[in-house]
Amino acid sequence: MQHLIDIMDMTVEEVDQLILKAEDIIANPAAYAEKCRGKKLATLFFEPSTRTRLSFEAAMYELGGHVLGFADANSSSATKGETVADTIRVVGCYADIIAMRHPKEGAPLVATQVANVPIINAGDGGHNHPTQTLTDLLTIHREKGTYEGLTIGFCGDLKFGRTVHSLLQAMCRYPNTKFVLIAPDELKIPGYLRDKLDKLNIPYTETPDLESAMPELDVLYMTRVQQERFFNEADYVRLKDTYILTPEKLSKAKSDMIILHPLPRVNEIPRAIDDDPRACYFKQVLNGKYARMALIMKLLGIS
Ligand code: CP
């Protein structure tokens, strides 16, 4: 039985095949409409979500399957003290596959230790978000046509940004990737990721300055400063508007650069940017459904 807890659980060949499957689903949706007939997906969201939960649910419906679950831990027996392990054992009696989000890093990994069905990590605290990475990779594939030789700028909260942590590791596996890590000192990437880049000899620079980094980027991955990860409200208020992608800053970018953002956004991308052809974050949202359709099929062993 295969789970997806960390994007590195999948080989690069598996990821590439899954992206090609998602492309085929986009091209031939009717061919997939019955693939999960009779199967049930449980979405267990112990932390808020719009895109991830609803795209998983839409994905399962579009495969002909069914969905059950909860969107709020307060409506589950977690409020009565039930452990994650017990919740997973129980839901495994009702569902064929489980997508779970949890505020605690490692909770989905704990779930795999007792699960009798595949577990998908739909985001664990400030750690990982592998299905957002599949979404991001599908978007890069569709917009740039390659994963090779790209200079990727990650901007904003690189410390707590689980989408950044997962995509950065995934992109390390493609040739000639370069990273520009744009963050204030307080929100730089965790040491374990910097160690990984050093060990793999991946070229990267760290800078607090978005504007000066802009001209060299092929992909700009903006992120929200996440209020929910801060222990101190004053630190959040001081840092929250560090980066705002104004039209003036964007004028320094390549004409074929793409702008990604896992969303939700707050102030970091003004609405004025939405009509720029480089803005791909709403295409990214739609791609998330197709990437998750391909993933559900893979983990259920359906071709
Ligand atoms: N990108 C993402 O994880 O969005 P949600 O928090 O709305 O699921």
Side-chain angles (χ1 to χ4, degrees), residues 264-282:
R265 65 175 161 186
V266 186
N267 292 329
E268 60 279 3
I269 303 183
R271 306 296 175 272
I273 302 295
D274 292 357
D275 293 331
D276 190 292
R278 292 167 286 193
C280 292
Y281 30 92
F282 288 112

Side-chain angles (χ1 to χ4, degrees), residues 111-139:
T112 64
Q113 290 161 3
V114 295
N116 63 345
V117 298
I119 301 292
I120 301 170
N121 178 5
D124 62 329
H127 188 215
N128 278 324
H129 195 343
T131 67
Q132 180 66 46
T133 298
L134 295 173
T135 300
D136 301 339
L137 290 174
L138 177 58
T139 308

Side-chain angles (χ1 to χ4, degrees), residues 70-207:
F70 53 82
D72 178 358
N74 289 326
S75 68
S76 80
S77 286
T79 55
K80 303 173 204 163
E82 186 159 67
T83 62
V84 165
D86 281 359
T87 303
I88 293 297
R89 278 179 197 261
V90 168
V91 176
C93 298
Y94 308 139
D96 301 288
I97 185 167
I98 296 172
M100 70 173 285
R101 169 170 289 187
H102 203 283
K104 286 206 175 113
E105 288 86 355
L109 183 63
V110 168
T112 64
Q113 290 161 3
V114 295
N116 63 345
V117 298
I119 301 292
I120 301 170
N121 178 5
D124 62 329
H127 188 215
N128 278 324
H129 195 343
T131 67
Q132 180 66 46
T133 298
L134 295 173
T135 300
D136 301 339
L137 290 174
L138 177 58
T139 308
I140 293 170
H141 190 256
R142 292 181 70 72
E143 300 300 321
K144 303 298 290 181
T146 182
Y147 299 125
E148 295 191 16
L150 297 177
T151 298
I152 301 174
F154 287 107
C155 178
D157 181 357
L158 312 192
K159 179 178 180 181
F160 299 113
R162 57 194 176 196
T163 66
V164 171
H165 305 161
S166 292
L167 181 59
L168 182 138
Q169 294 186 80
M171 287 305 302
C172 282
R173 302 197 288 192
Y174 295 101
N176 304 318
T177 299
K178 283 198 241 171
F179 297 113
V180 184
L181 306 173
I182 306 153
D185 278 346
E186 297 89 336
L187 297 176
K188 284 180 164 182
I189 57 163
Y192 79 92
L193 288 174
R194 194 174 294 107
D195 291 348
K196 182 165 189 168
L197 294 176
D198 290 336
K199 194 170 160 201
L200 294 172
N201 280 321
I202 307 282
Y204 69 95
T205 53
E206 294 191 272
T207 174

Side-chain angles (χ1 to χ4, degrees), residues 45 47-55 101 122-123 129 131-132 135-136 162-163 221 224 226 228-229 261-264 284-285 292:
F45 278 64
E47 194 184 60
S49 168
T50 296
R51 275 146 295 275
T52 309
R53 185 175 65 83
L54 295 180
S55 64
R101 169 170 289 187
H129 195 343
T131 67
Q132 180 66 46
T135 300
D136 301 339
R162 57 194 176 196
T163 66
Y221 197 96
R224 171 178 67 99
Q226 299 174 80
E228 65 272 29
R229 309 277 176 233
H261 191 311
L263 303 180
Q284 207 178 341
V285 171
R292 290 178 176 106

